[in-house]
Amino acid sequence: MASPSRFADLIIRQGTVITPGGPVLADVVCSDGLIVALDSRGWQAKDTMEAQGLHVLPGVIDSQVHFREPGLTHKETLEAGTRGALLGGVTAVFEMPNTHPLTLWQDDLQDKLDRAAGRAWCDYAFYMGGAAANATHLADLETLPGCAGIKVFMGSSFGDLLVDEDDVLRRILSHGHRRVAIHAEDEARLMERRALVEASADVRDHPRWRDEESALLATRKILRLAEEAGRRLHLLHVSTAAEMALLARHKRSVSVEVTPHHLTLTAPECYERLGSLAQMNPPVRDRHHQAALWQAVRDGVVDVLGSDHAPHTLEEKARPYPNSPSGMTGVQTLLPMMLDHVNAGRLSLMRLVDLTSAGPARLFGLPGRGRIAVGQSAALTLVDMNARRRIENRWIASVSGWTPYDGVTVQGWPVATVLRGQLVMRDDDVIGPPLGSPVRFDETRR
Ligand code: DOR
């Protein structure tokens, strides 16, 4: 006698499912927000999606975005930023603290959580800024629900968050346990060299001003201070060959992020073509550095990809360099650009999934996320590896309304996003209402 059917919320049929053991042709059965089976025999569902010809990936996690709320909502909002995330196949984001006000205290974090509730389309957590004012409170602040960890800017970039004194860095590193996320550029050297770009007013000099040595000095220093404090680090948007060589020797205590921008754009071509639209910190550099970043991706030195989605309006970007602000949008294009790199043979799809799902889940301690397996959260990203699509500004959800990849054709496209077992994006449309909620971290996270 056949056993009676069980009821699920969603069955995704016959996609190529990227499991920890490799790709398998399977059905993904989702019920009560979880993956409950990888075989749909004996199941019926409210909703079914045919996924023949598609790849089903664990939901993409973008561990570095700036969504500008509160204070800078003319550039971006939590609503638009998270909508862009879903359209780009991203199911969770970690948002940065250089907003107005800065995210330094429990009230600032709570304000962001309140703003996100009911408006965020994907899941979210917020970084707390590490600063002189809150350094001795960070052990408590970093474990608050909804906190992704502590972020320190060693060089000034955008906003008022800056820690350029060794004493303060030491205090930050000695209060708390989780990995500290670092923007490593040496402030003293940046100040010393600023005159160079004041004089030239040429955006092609951006990587000469904020040169390899500026990044290396800061990275070397923070490695030394963290070693003294016995603290682990997460080095954000690493951009130079020398840093990668150094970081490869410190992998026991340091994790490494690269951005799709640094893997895709190259100097000087990007500045000639895009002007200050290509301006970000640390800068996009030449082929020599880019080749080292790719090598580090292939060697496994890189743990995660973060988009460093950092929107500014086109009017702001049009100010004469160096008064134009640094930063580009990226949350929505992270996956299309990287799928195109997969299709071009620069990395495998399995490696990409490790960088965008399993890697962040492992590093930041996200129980139930980052891989497709029975019992895991049903956060999924469905992609068509054969689709050829032109990226256009009008597809971009960001309030700022632009991408450096406007007009670029890619092969590989996110066609659906699933959050807690619900289809929340399909064929370039989000499906409401917004279901985003705070990311839960492992209580024993370190
Ligand atoms: O280019 C950048 N823009 N780099 C950063 O570190 C900050 C970001 C921003 O917030 O605009």
Side-chain angles (χ1 to χ4, degrees), residues 294-363:
W294 274 111
Q295 193 58 48
V297 166
R298 284 188 286 265
D299 289 347
V301 174
V302 178
D303 296 278
V304 297
L305 293 173
S307 72
D308 195 8
H309 177 84
H312 300 283
T313 65
L314 287 170
E315 293 72 33
E316 291 165 334
K317 282 296 228 179
R319 286 181 205 145
Y321 180 81
N323 297 322
S324 40
S326 293
M328 303 178 232
T329 61
V331 70
Q332 198 171 333
T333 49
L334 179 152
L335 192 58
M337 294 314 295
M338 291 311 299
L339 294 175
D340 192 62
H341 286 307
V342 169
N343 273 317
R346 295 188 189 98
L347 78 170
S348 69
L349 189 56
M350 287 300 287
R351 179 73 182 112
L352 177 61
V353 164
D354 192 61
L355 291 165
T356 53
S357 304
R362 193 166 60 230
L363 283 192

Side-chain angles (χ1 to χ4, degrees), residues 64 66 68 75 96 98 151 153 155-159 183 185 206 210 237 279-282 308-312 317 325-328:
Q64 192 188 174
H66 300 261
R68 309 297 193 203
K75 296 176 194 277
M96 286 294 170
N98 56 338
K151 157 82 179 278
F153 282 91
S156 45
S157 185
F158 175 75
H183 178 126
E185 288 186 286
H206 195 57
R210 307 179 82 109
H237 41 45
Q279 176 193 338
M280 71 177 292
N281 301 328
D308 195 8
H309 177 84
H312 300 283
K317 282 296 228 179
S326 293
M328 303 178 232

